[in-house]
Amino acid sequence: MVASPLTAINGERAVVFFFVFRVLSSLPLSLLPHALSISLLSVFSLFVEIRADGSLSLFKTRPGASSGIMLGAVTLPTVMLSKLIQLSRAFSLQQIEIGELEHMTMQFWAASACCCGVLIFLSILMWCAAYNKNPHFSCSVWDAKFSLSCVILFSVVCCISLATISHTGFNTALKLLWLLCHGFAAVKLIQHLLNTFPCCASIGEALLLTSGLVLYFGDMLACTISKVCRLLVSPELVSIRYGIKRSEIGIIIQGVLLGLLIFSAVFKFVIHLWEYFCRADNSESRKNKEIRRSLIFFASLGFTMIVVAPSWMMIVLDFDVHPILWIFHFVLSEPLKRLSLCIYWLGLIYASVLRFYNISKNSKIERILLRKYYHLLAVSMFLPALIYQPKFLDLAFGAALAVFLVLEIIRVWRIWPLGQLVHQFMSAFTDHRDSDILIVSHFSLLLGCALPIWMSSGFNDRPLIPFAGILSLGIGDTMASMVGHKYGVLRWSKTGKKTIEGTAAGIVSVLAACSVLLPLLASTRYIPTQHWFPLLIAVTTSGLLEAYTAQLDNAFIPLVFYSLLCL
């Protein structure tokens, strides 16, 4: 069933097309192949999304959400392209080396390969599902030709772009193989996520998470290969930051996340092995089993965080001391500012959690509105730190993410004695976008604020880029929800809840915050001039996306806003 053009372009897709068009209109001619690839990816993802909405359900996705395939497929590659545009300006001004530009080029193609691979997988899956339902089904010739043309053109453009940053054809072939591995890994990971955690995410949300994880851990793998095999293998064989120094904080955050990933897999294997050998022992009480399981959990977690993860950190970067000791030295290098900031954070968290937890149990206030107060809490916590202690905030975001991951593992596995308590506490703040299997809203809020800050490290000629998550989520999204809930009358669509009044309030509030923030930044350090017309476009586009999308907006809006601020 082929949708007509008018029914195919809904509000969310129109905003996504405008977002992509805005980025492409800012591209220099040297990035023309990248523009063509993003255009192909956008059209191909729209085609797959339309066919997915009209076909059988491929996976058990989050109820009430559209597939979101187009938004999930274009977001991360467009973010990488916006960063590439920014680095191209820096390279033309001779403020960065060619190696950093080439690395970002590989990151762009790796993200695009992940999304393209998943789109191909979804297309094949839909054809197989339709054939199983109807054995006489045959894919239309036009559908097959269109899909194949998109894939071939994308591959050709990718080869041309990689050839410009490779010295030999052999290096180009190895880089293509590296990108192919990214695409294959993304396909396997999204299968695992959607099958293991049903009804927890839409396909678009899973696609964004999958491409992000594959890109992040692929970069870690490349860094490890480069460091370990530097004398045996040319660094140009894989996508690495050759000639570019990585920061200690970045390596520590990567090492902690890698350690938690390894820990989850190893702990699951050990528990299954232990339960297999102890199956015959039925005399042992359930309480003793839970205690023994808890001891295994915390012992293996401690070993991973103290020995395994720091060992990787010390391999890829030459720490003078153990990374944990380096963290203490870093915090105590400015004890008054950083310890005071920690006390301020703990006081806010304690007061807010205690207050809002009691309200959530006894009040009839809508859960989604109650959770917006945590967005305001994020502003009060992160905004002062980002202005005066940005490096310490980077480390604090990594620590908070690690704590959230450990608590979620404890909740999911029901680790004694905290598992049930954590589950009861977190359930007080869930809404329709969370499930009993996974609670993801606090992760999306934290990462939505943290990712623009992490990605803006290094060269940055746009003052508001690090504040993209805080402004869009902490101020814009919060004001849109509160004003829309209390005063909203005119709705964007007949079936949706978002109102025009709420969207207008969100846009105006972000612009007002920017008008206050820019002079404050100029008084603390030199900041290049920010043009207001591009800022207005960025704020309006992210506000309209919040109004139209049925996806988890905490994940997408900060990345879209960040990309537009880079231009």
Side-chain angles (χ1 to χ4, degrees):
M1 180 178 179
V2 180
S4 65
L6 291 178
T7 58
I9 303 300
N10 55 26
E12 179 182 297
R13 294 166 185 168
V15 174
V16 174
F17 266 123
F18 179 80
F19 164 55
V20 174
F21 173 76
R22 176 70 183 96
V23 174
L24 295 183
S25 63
S26 303
L27 280 176
L29 291 178
S30 59
L31 298 179
L32 189 59
H34 306 73
L36 182 57
S37 69
I38 285 290
S39 302
L40 290 170
L41 198 62
S42 302
V43 174
F44 187 29
S45 60
L46 175 62
F47 170 74
V48 174
E49 180 175 309
I50 293 173
R51 294 187 70 246
D53 290 342
S55 65
L56 298 173
S57 178
L58 302 178
F59 299 96
K60 292 182 179 179
T61 57
R62 181 164 61 84
S66 59
S67 65
I69 294 174
M70 183 181 180
L71 180 59
V74 304
T75 297
L76 191 59
T78 309
V79 169
M80 296 295 108
L81 185 58
S82 298
K83 187 66 176 178
L84 195 56
I85 294 172
Q86 187 182 38
L87 293 182
S88 298
R89 293 197 302 265
F91 182 71
S92 63
L93 298 174
Q94 297 182 348
Q95 296 184 359
I96 63 170
E97 298 179 357
I98 186 63
E100 188 169 353
L101 190 64
E102 292 178 352
H103 171 264
M104 185 53 61
T105 300
M106 284 298 298
Q107 292 291 84
F108 165 78
W109 286 113
S112 301
C114 290
C115 296
C116 187
V118 173
L119 291 176
I120 296 172
F121 165 71
L122 292 176
S123 298
I124 296 174
L125 204 62
M126 285 186 292
W127 291 335
C128 293
Y131 179 79
N132 291 334
K133 183 180 179 182
N134 181 11
H136 301 290
F137 165 81
S138 61
C139 176
S140 69
V141 176
W142 186 89
D143 285 359
K145 286 184 176 180
F146 179 81
S147 301
L148 190 60
S149 299
C150 288
V151 174
I152 292 176
L153 282 175
F154 180 86
S155 303
V156 170
V157 171
C158 180
C159 292
I160 294 174
S161 176
L162 293 181
T164 61
I165 62 172
S166 301
H167 300 295
T168 64
F170 179 69
N171 286 331
T172 303
L174 287 176
K175 288 175 180 176
L176 286 172
L177 179 62
W178 181 251
L179 298 183
L180 186 63
C181 292
H182 277 74
F184 180 77
V187 170
K188 299 302 291 184
L189 182 58
I190 197 171
Q191 281 184 281
H192 176 74
L193 290 177
L194 292 174
N195 289 326
T196 306
F197 306 106
C199 303
C200 291
S202 67
I203 297 179
E205 293 163 358
L207 178 52
L208 178 65
L209 177 62
T210 295
S211 54
L213 288 175
V214 172
L215 190 66
Y216 191 67
F217 287 108
D219 186 61
M220 293 174 62
L221 177 61
C223 178
T224 307
I225 293 174
S226 170
K227 189 69 176 182
V228 174
C229 306
R230 186 173 296 275
L231 298 178
L232 302 177
V233 181
S234 172
E236 199 181 49
L237 294 183
V238 292
S239 168
I240 60 169
R241 293 186 177 181
Y242 41 93
I244 299 175
K245 178 177 173 59
R246 293 172 180 259
S247 67
E248 290 86 352
I249 294 176
I251 289 296
I252 287 174
I253 295 174
Q254 284 186 320
V256 169
L257 296 182
L258 177 65
L260 290 175
L261 178 68
I262 295 174
F263 162 74
S264 301
V266 172
F267 176 71
K268 183 177 180 180
F269 173 77
V270 171
I271 286 298
H272 286 322
L273 194 65
W274 174 66
E275 290 178 348
Y276 175 78
F277 285 107
C278 297
R279 186 180 301 172
D281 187 8
N282 296 323
S283 60
E284 188 178 15
S285 66
R286 180 179 178 182
K287 187 72 171 180
N288 290 335
K289 290 182 179 179
E290 290 183 354
I291 294 176
R292 184 175 299 181
R293 187 165 169 260
S294 177
L295 291 176
I296 295 174
F297 175 86
F298 289 108
S300 56
L301 177 62
F303 179 79
T304 303
M305 292 293 101
I306 297 175
V307 178
V308 178
S311 298
W312 179 84
M313 301 176 200
M314 299 181 75
I315 288 175
V316 298
L317 193 66
D318 297 326
F319 282 89
D320 297 330
V321 295
H322 192 280
I324 295 180
L325 294 178
W326 186 93
I327 294 174
F328 282 107
H329 292 164
F330 175 77
V331 174
L332 297 178
S333 61
E334 296 183 26
L336 182 61
K337 294 180 180 179
R338 291 170 180 170
L339 292 179
S340 299
L341 195 58
C342 290
I343 295 173
Y344 168 69
W345 285 342
L346 291 175
L348 275 179
I349 292 173
Y350 177 77
S352 302
V353 168
L354 186 63
R355 173 64 176 166
F356 295 146
Y357 182 67
N358 292 330
I359 292 177
S360 67
K361 292 190 301 181
N362 304 319
S363 176
K364 296 182 179 180
I365 298 177
E366 285 193 20
R367 195 67 58 87
I368 185 64
L369 191 61
L370 180 64
R371 292 184 347 163
K372 296 303 176 183
Y373 288 107
Y374 279 95
H375 289 222
L376 294 176
L377 177 64
V379 176
S380 60
M381 289 178 61
F382 304 147
L383 192 59
L386 181 55
I387 296 175
Y388 298 105
Q389 285 289 324
K391 291 185 177 179
F392 181 63
L393 183 61
D394 286 351
L395 185 63
F397 273 132
L401 180 58
V403 171
F404 281 177
L405 285 171
V406 171
L407 289 177
E408 186 65 11
I409 294 173
I410 290 175
R411 187 192 70 83
V412 171
W413 284 89
R414 296 293 197 273
I415 301 299
W416 181 87
L418 301 176
Q420 189 61 30
L421 295 175
V422 173
H423 177 71
Q424 292 176 355
F425 177 79
M426 295 302 299
S427 298
F429 304 101
T430 58
D431 64 5
H432 64 281
R433 293 175 296 184
D434 294 307
S435 67
D436 291 334
I437 303 176
L438 286 181
I439 299 177
V440 299
S441 297
H442 56 298
F443 285 104
S444 62
L445 176 60
L446 179 69
L447 288 174
C449 294
L451 285 176
I453 300 173
W454 287 340
M455 291 188 296
S456 61
S457 60
F459 175 80
N460 180 25
D461 58 349
R462 297 292 185 262
L464 295 176
I465 285 178
F467 299 87
I470 298 174
L471 291 173
S472 60
L473 296 182
I475 296 178
D477 187 34
T478 302
M479 292 302 298
S481 295
M482 290 184 172
V483 173
H485 177 77
K486 193 169 185 179
Y487 304 105
V489 176
L490 303 175
R491 300 189 183 277
W492 285 104
S493 63
K494 295 180 180 179
T495 57
K497 296 182 179 180
K498 305 295 179 66
T499 64
I500 296 178
E501 294 87 348
T503 301
I507 293 174
V508 172
S509 63
V510 173
L511 291 174
C514 292
S515 66
V516 175
L517 188 58
L518 285 173
L520 180 61
L521 292 174
S523 66
T524 57
R525 58 183 181 268
Y526 172 74
I527 293 294
T529 303
Q530 177 74 48
H531 300 289
W532 280 95
F533 182 69
L535 177 61
L536 177 62
I537 294 177
V539 174
T540 304
T541 304
S542 59
L544 290 175
L545 180 62
E546 190 275 336
Y548 278 116
T549 187
Q551 307 302 305
L552 191 61
D553 49 10
N554 288 0
F556 289 98
I557 293 176
L559 294 177
V560 170
F561 193 34
Y562 168 88
S563 300
L564 297 175
L565 289 178
C566 286
L567 306 179

